[in-house]
C-alpha cells in the first residue's frame, strides 16, 4: 500500500488526478484509491468508486471535490491500496512518500494560489512577514506526524528520523513511473489541471528574495537539500 502525503503546491494534485484516472480507466481495482483532504474547515474523503458523476475533464479541487462533498463515501477501506492528500498521516499502514519543492518557489506558488482565490490582498513581502518560518517543517510535523508545534529543530529532526520518504520535485516524473511499474499500470501523461496565475510583480520579489528566504527558513531548505541528495529510487536506504 502507498500513502502519499500532499504538501500544498508540491505536485499533490497531479498525482491525485493520475491515480484517480488509473482507477477510473480500470487499471487499478475498484475502490483502491482514496483522497483524504480538508476544505471549508473540516476533513473529507473522496473515492472515485462512489462518484457516478466523475468527469476526468473536471478540476479535482475546483469542481469534482466540491460537487461531491456531502455525498456518501464508503467507510470500508479494506480495498484501498493508495491513500493521498493533506490528511493522510503517519498512521496509515503503508509506504509513505511525499514530494518537496524548492521552498522559495513553493511559497510563491502558495501566494499566487491564495491570491487568485481572493484569500489574501497583501503584497508578497507583507504576506511572508505573517507566514510561519520553516512552514514545510511545521506542516509535516503537525499534519503528517500529528504532533503539536514545538521547537523547530525538534520538529525537523523528528521528520528526518521518521519513515516518511521525502523526494525532490525534480524526480516526481521518474518516481511516478517507478510507482506505476510497481502497480503494474502504464504511466499517464496528464498534467495537474489546477492553474495558478502569476501575481507577484518583479519589484516585490526583489523586496523579499531567495537569499532572505533562506535566512528565514533554514530548516525548510535543509529538508529540501537533503531530499535533492537522494536521486535514486523512492525507497528507504
Amino acid at each position: 500500500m502507498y500513502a502519499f502525503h500532499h504538501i500544498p503546491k508540491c505536485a499533490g494534485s497531479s498525482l491525485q488526478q493520475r491515480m484517480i484516472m488509473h482507477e477510473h480507466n480500470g487499471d487499478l481495482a475498484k475502490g483502491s484509491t482514496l483522497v483524504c483532504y480538508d476544505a471549508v474547515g473540516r476533513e473529507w474523503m473522496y473515492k472515485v468508486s462512489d462518484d457516478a458523476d466523475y468527469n476526468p475533464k473536471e478540476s479535482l479541487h475546483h469542481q469534482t471535490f466540491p460537487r461531491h462533498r456531502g455525498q456518501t463515501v464508503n467507510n470500508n477501506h479494506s480495498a484501498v491500496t493508495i491513500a493521498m492528500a493533506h490528511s493522510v498521516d503517519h498512521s496509515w499502514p503503508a509506504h509513505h512518500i511525499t514530494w518537496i519543492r524548492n521552498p522559495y518557489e513553493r511559497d510563491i506558488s502558495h501566494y499566487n494560489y491564495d491570491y487568485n482565490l481572493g484569500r489574501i490582498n497583501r503584497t508578497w513581502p507583507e504576506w511572508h512577514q505573517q507566514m510561519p518560518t520553516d512552514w514545510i517543517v511545521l506542516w509535516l510535523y503537525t499534519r503528517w506526524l500529528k504532533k503539536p508545534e514545538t521547537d523547530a529543530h525538534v520538529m525537523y529532526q523528528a521528520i528526518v528520523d521518521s519513515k516518511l520518504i521525502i523526494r525532490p520535485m525534480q524526480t516526481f516524473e521518474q518516481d511516478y513511473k517507478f510507482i506505476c511499474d510497481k502497480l503494474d499500470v502504464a504511466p499517464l501523461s496528464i498534467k495537474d489541471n489546477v492553474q495558478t496565475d502569476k501575481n507577484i510583480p518583479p519589484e516585490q520579489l526583489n523586496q523579499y528574495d531567495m537569499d532572505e528566504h533562506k535566512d528565514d527558513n533554514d530548516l525548510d531548505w535543509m529538508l529540501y537539500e537533503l531530499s535533492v541528495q537522494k536521486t535514486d529510487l523512492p525507497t528507504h536506504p
Side-chain angles (χ1 to χ4, degrees), residues 75-225:
N75 287 315
N76 182 346
H77 301 325
S78 59
V80 172
T81 57
I82 299 170
M84 304 172 280
H86 299 153
S87 298
V88 171
D89 63 34
H90 70 98
S91 64
W92 280 87
H95 194 59
H96 287 255
I97 304 175
T98 193
W99 284 267
I100 188 172
R101 185 176 186 176
N102 172 306
Y104 187 67
E105 294 177 358
R106 194 220 71 85
D107 281 5
I108 289 173
S109 182
H110 189 161
Y111 174 88
N112 285 328
Y113 185 76
D114 281 359
Y115 189 95
N116 288 326
L117 291 178
R119 294 173 176 170
I120 55 174
N121 59 5
R122 302 182 185 92
T123 65
W124 162 247
E126 290 170 345
W127 178 80
H128 227 290
Q129 286 177 358
Q130 298 190 8
M131 282 284 286
T133 55
D134 295 308
W135 189 92
I136 297 172
V137 167
L138 176 63
W139 174 276
L140 287 174
Y141 191 80
T142 58
R143 299 301 301 269
W144 183 74
L145 279 174
K146 288 289 187 182
K147 293 185 176 182
E149 180 179 357
T150 185
D151 176 77
H153 290 84
V154 171
M155 294 192 291
Y156 170 84
Q157 197 59 49
I159 295 163
V160 170
D161 293 341
S162 76
K163 63 183 178 181
L164 181 63
I165 299 167
I166 303 175
R167 302 288 291 170
M169 283 279 290
Q170 295 93 312
T171 65
F172 174 76
E173 293 296 342
Q174 95 177 36
D175 292 346
Y176 167 66
K177 291 176 182 177
F178 172 80
I179 292 162
C180 284
D181 183 64
K182 294 295 182 182
L183 295 171
D184 195 24
V185 301
L188 298 171
S189 59
I190 57 174
K191 298 294 184 180
D192 173 18
N193 54 11
V194 176
Q195 300 299 318
T196 300
D197 294 330
K198 308 300 186 267
N199 293 294
I200 306 177
E203 61 271 17
Q204 288 190 21
L205 285 175
N206 292 336
Q207 291 170 21
Y208 189 74
D209 61 20
M210 189 180 295
D211 288 338
E212 291 177 282
H213 190 278
K214 287 182 177 181
D215 289 340
D216 292 341
N217 301 275
D218 58 317
L219 296 177
D220 274 0
W221 280 94
M222 285 171 59
L223 198 63
Y224 171 68
E225 288 161 3

Side-chain angles (χ1 to χ4, degrees), residues 36-90:
C36 303
Y37 70 101
D38 46 32
V40 294
R42 55 159 289 187
E43 294 185 355
W44 305 86
M45 293 188 298
Y46 175 84
K47 291 182 178 179
V48 68
S49 57
D50 295 329
D51 187 2
D53 297 320
Y54 172 71
N55 181 351
K57 295 182 180 179
E58 288 183 341
S59 163
L60 284 179
H61 290 271
H62 293 163
Q63 295 170 290
T64 303
F65 293 166
R67 169 183 53 74
H68 195 260
R69 284 175 202 148
Q71 297 187 34
T72 301
V73 177
N74 185 353
N75 287 315
N76 182 346
H77 301 325
S78 59
V80 172
T81 57
I82 299 170
M84 304 172 280
H86 299 153
S87 298
V88 171
D89 63 34
H90 70 98

